[in-house]
Amino acid sequence: MTTIADVARHAGVSVATVSHVMNHTRHVEPETAERVRAAISALRYSPNSVARSLRRGETKTIGLLLPDNSNPFFASVARQIEDAGFVSGYTVILCNSDGNAEKEERYLSVLMAKQIDGLIFAGSSDHARVFARMLPSVPAVLLDREIQSVNVDSVLVDHDHGGYLAGKYLVGLGHRKIGVIGGPRDSSSSPARLRGFVRALAEAGIDLPPSSIVDSDYHFAGGRLAMEQLMAQAPDITAVFACNDLMAMGAITALRSRGSRVPDDMSMVGFDDIPYAVTTWPPLTTIAQPVEKIGTLAVSLLLERLGEPEAPSRREVLAPVLVERESCAALR
């Protein structure tokens, strides 16, 4: 295996000069630098990136731990983080916890062992104990999560406001009997979306009885089953707010199998604005999360933290917006 010493001998220079040419750490005369580059090419020298990283105290890698990268929303966020990291010279290692706390903790241990420079974490639950042990060794950014007991940067979405937008929209269309397909109650996002939605209905003097709420799991099949249960419990509803787009799409499938038409017989609002929202039929009205900004801001905060480890933690809250398509209609 060719070494940096071989390159130095071939070019007739010192090992230090070869290092300066490769790392751009000091001015080297153009003619000398060209000899070094020619030697590197002739000998097909490839530096040992692991050894270099250990010497520098960095690996140029970011760990990304998500609860479910099969969910198109998280897949889109992961892509934005990967792109933003790549532009800044970082490789992203993606781990999927499947919402399993044990798997989540094991992946955190694996990422620490790989000496990642930083971590972007969207865990399935608030793991204060894990974070308390991990944070002294690696900078981290929480994605759409908050842990009160640790001082860490976070990128959040105002889910309460998103739910409020969905409620105001359906109320504005004249709907008074409305159902909700919620996500897991132990998540941070679904209860917040429900709170905002209930607040919008309350402002219009509309009650949301427990029979009009069915919790599910943020998956397509779960949305379909929840819609069937909702129709059995609250058959007179005219509109549904599903707490994510996948469940909204599953609910539309359940309605179609019953012969009900969206939006003629039932209006439907989702949450996330995943890529499939515009291709499903009818195109889904939804509350859009700013996916691109979530990903780029998470990477930006992490890189700033790497540069200034002692700076005060930052809490960035992003606003969702209503995207009106064709899955809702005014009550007739």
Side-chain angles (χ1 to χ4, degrees), residues 84-324:
F86 183 81
V87 168
S88 299
Y90 286 80
T91 300
V92 175
I93 301 174
L94 172 62
C95 299
N96 176 52
S97 71
D98 293 317
N100 181 285
E102 182 180 350
K103 191 174 181 183
E104 199 169 87
E105 187 163 355
R106 184 176 299 180
Y107 269 135
L108 285 172
S109 298
V110 169
L111 290 171
M112 296 304 102
K114 290 185 177 296
Q115 297 185 316
I116 56 173
D117 292 332
L119 173 71
I120 298 174
F121 178 79
S124 59
S125 59
D126 290 352
H127 284 161
R129 178 177 55 83
V130 175
F131 262 81
R133 187 181 73 243
M134 179 195 71
L135 282 176
S137 60
V138 62
V141 173
L142 286 176
L143 204 61
D144 211 22
R145 304 288 187 274
E146 283 191 283
I147 298 178
Q148 301 299 330
S149 61
V150 294
N151 186 32
V152 63
D153 298 313
S154 57
V155 178
L156 308 167
V157 172
D158 191 344
H159 296 290
D160 182 284
H161 181 62
Y164 181 81
L165 291 176
K168 289 285 285 187
Y169 180 69
L170 290 175
V171 169
L173 291 175
H175 295 282
R176 295 295 181 270
K177 296 180 179 179
I178 306 172
V180 174
I181 299 176
R185 287 294 175 103
D186 63 353
S187 72
S188 59
S189 56
S190 182
R193 294 171 189 179
L194 181 58
R195 282 195 305 271
F197 188 78
V198 169
R199 190 172 76 256
L201 268 58
E203 288 179 1
I206 300 171
D207 183 41
L208 186 66
S211 60
S212 294
I213 305 172
V214 175
D215 291 332
S216 190
D217 57 4
Y218 278 159
H219 291 99
F220 178 93
R224 182 170 185 168
L225 291 173
M227 189 70 239
E228 292 172 354
Q229 183 179 341
L230 193 56
M231 291 304 296
Q233 295 177 186
D236 57 347
I237 59 174
T238 61
V240 173
F241 170 47
C243 281
N244 83 340
D245 289 345
L246 283 179
M247 294 192 302
M249 293 164 63
I252 290 173
T253 300
L255 289 167
R256 188 176 294 124
S257 69
R258 297 168 59 96
S260 297
R261 298 165 299 170
V262 176
D264 296 347
D265 302 315
M266 185 77 70
S267 289
M268 183 72 62
V269 177
F271 202 113
D272 286 341
D273 196 27
I274 62 176
Y276 300 136
V278 73
T279 61
T280 192
W281 186 256
L284 185 63
T285 292
T286 187
I287 306 300
Q289 298 201 61
V291 171
E292 182 175 354
K293 196 166 184 180
I294 290 170
T296 56
L297 185 56
V299 173
S300 176
L301 285 180
L302 186 59
L303 297 186
E304 288 178 22
R305 177 61 52 194
L306 289 171
E308 298 183 67
E310 303 304 320
S313 62
R314 290 172 56 184
R315 179 179 183 271
E316 300 289 341
V317 182
L318 305 178
V321 296
L322 173 72
V323 177
E324 189 175 359

Side-chain angles (χ1 to χ4, degrees), residues 42-91:
L43 298 177
R44 297 182 178 180
Y45 173 62
S46 178
N48 187 324
S49 60
V50 174
R52 291 172 67 190
S53 295
L54 291 174
R55 286 196 299 272
R56 294 177 180 177
E58 63 179 16
T59 60
K60 287 292 183 180
T61 55
I62 294 171
L64 174 59
L65 182 55
L66 298 176
D68 182 9
N69 65 349
S70 67
N71 183 314
F73 169 72
F74 285 116
S76 297
V77 170
R79 179 54 189 264
Q80 293 298 329
I81 289 173
E82 181 186 8
D83 289 348
F86 183 81
V87 168
S88 299
Y90 286 80
T91 300

